[in-house]
Amino acid sequence: MSDAVFQRCIFPHCDGALAADDTSFTCPKCGGLLDVAYDWNRLKPPPALAWFESKWAERSNPLSFSGVWRFRELLPFAPPDKIMTIGEGQTVLQRADAVAQFVGMNAGCLHLQYEGMNPSGSFKDNGMTAAFTHARMTGAKRAACASTGNTSASLAVFCSATGLMRAIIFIGSGKISYGKLAQALDHGALTVQITGDFDDAMQRVQQVSRRLGIYLVNSVNPFRLEGQKTIMYRILEAMRWEVPDWIVVPGGNLGNVSSFGKAFIELMDLGLIKRPPRLAVINAAGANTFHQLYEKNGLRWNAGQPDAKLIDGYYQSLDMEKIRAATIASAIEINHPVNLHKALRALDRCGGVAREATDQEILDAKAKVGAGGLGCEPASAASVAGAKKLRREGIIAPSDRVVCVLTGHQLKDPTATVAYHSADRKTFDDVLGHRGVRRATFANRAVQVPNDLDEIIKAIEVYT
Ligand SMILES: *Cc1c(COP(=O)(O)O)cnc(C)c1O
Ligand SMILES: [Zn+2]
């Protein structure tokens, strides 16, 4: 790899750096997170964002067809012949007026960025194509991740579709939805289920990868976040290169919001946009470390010197009170977000806020998203629930242009959806009761009708 691309510690006071092909993914000086860094003077950044429209005429080239790699000049770490694409990033920005009304926004002001359309059904494919490409550049034969489900599904798809690597997946016990587990198994990944939750699995996969020299694709991997930047480029593209007022995204490991922040910081540095949008990160109330630290304890990036005592103290209190992450939104059921520091930087540069949404609020928002035309999994709907909250607080105005990112497909977690809409109280309570969900405000219940033509016709007339 050319030395115009390297890895650099995110802390401005630390001069830790690594070559681009290093796969340890931790700062050699301070142990912190790394960025993929570019010497733009020696690379060829695009002259203007509209320049990317020239790629639209090249759709027979898989690199220009990909919703990630058609922006490759903004993530120029890989030679084109090394790039591994499976057609990721063919996603849409959809105007959603019914959801806008639910959120309290004017018609035409709320859009949903539907990342469920990716090959494995979640936004993770945007990052996986980049990490997988980097893995290939470094000669890796095995790749591993810990996952609440979607990272493993994505890795399993990339490994099976390309036949280039073996996927090794760490999951916690009982913390993965069936749709996602089904993908890992069907695509032939080695699936290691350990007793413990996601945070435990995350610690173990890092130890194991280091010991066995297995390539790690979790979001500590800065190359993955390079791919996820393109979600923002596609939103800008769909908005004719105008920057929206708000991007609202669910927060789990905080990789997504970190990559969005990096995307906008780079576009500003390159003079390709004048101002960034504001970023809103939405935690589930049962996994709200970021909301607690940022909004309740005032933790800030602080020019690269965030208060380490505050963070340590918070985690100690979680341990002491034996508090474990618990939410129906399994993709964000994470209490130790790996990308905490990067997320602080993103919010600092993009005027960010954090909020939390209860499982009740998440599932009600999810039902509205579904009724509005796009199906998403529970974690994704946290963005809409959070936007509604920020609107009610007056932080988002009804006329702001808001994009909520729908991170994953509805069919990832059918159990939650079916329980929500079920007329049977036991089915509802078994899945949702212990989550503090009391009512299905927008349930669409199946209608019970005897097997009789007149009764069936009567029912249809009554309900339509
Ligand atoms: C991974 C995931 C998230 C959380 O994203 P982070 O980058 O970890 O904050 C949210 N929603 C879905 C569907 C996911 O798969
Ligand atoms: Zn460092």
Side-chain angles (χ1 to χ4, degrees), residues 176-180 328 330 363 366 377-378 410-422 427-432 434-435:
I176 182 167
S177 73
Y178 259 52
K180 303 174 192 180
I328 192 75
S330 58
L363 289 178
K366 178 180 159 324
E377 64 171 284
Q410 176 186 48
L411 298 178
K412 291 283 190 174
D413 188 1
T415 315
T417 307
V418 172
Y420 183 88
H421 291 291
S422 173
T427 307
F428 180 94
D429 281 342
D430 283 353
V431 179
L432 304 174
H434 63 288
R435 304 289 189 180

Side-chain angles (χ1 to χ4, degrees), residues 92-97 99-100 103 110-115 235 368-370 372-374 380 383-384 402-406:
V92 294
L93 183 75
Q94 180 157 312
R95 173 174 161 163
D97 284 355
V99 181
V103 169
L110 184 84
H111 284 75
L112 301 174
Q113 174 69 15
Y114 190 41
E115 291 298 315
I235 289 173
K368 281 292 183 186
V369 169
L374 298 175
S380 311
S383 62
V384 173
V402 175
V403 177
C404 293
V405 181
L406 296 184

Side-chain angles (χ1 to χ4, degrees), residues 5 9 24 58 78 113 168 174 189 203 271 290 350 367 375 377 452 455:
V5 182
C9 181
S24 54
E58 290 176 19
Q113 174 69 15
I168 303 164
Q203 274 191 342
F290 192 67
C350 299
E377 64 171 284
D452 175 287
E455 294 283 344

Side-chain angles (χ1 to χ4, degrees), residues 122-124 150 228 250-256 331-332 377 379-380 407-408:
S122 85
F123 79 83
K124 298 294 199 299
N150 281 334
Q228 289 169 213
N253 257 327
L254 305 175
N256 234 2
I332 52 174
E377 64 171 284
S380 311
T407 45

Side-chain angles (χ1 to χ4, degrees), residues 130-153:
F132 205 79
T133 293
H134 183 249
R136 191 177 173 217
M137 291 165 70
T138 63
K141 294 281 178 293
R142 294 183 291 186
C145 66
S147 181
T148 61
N150 281 334
T151 301
S152 57

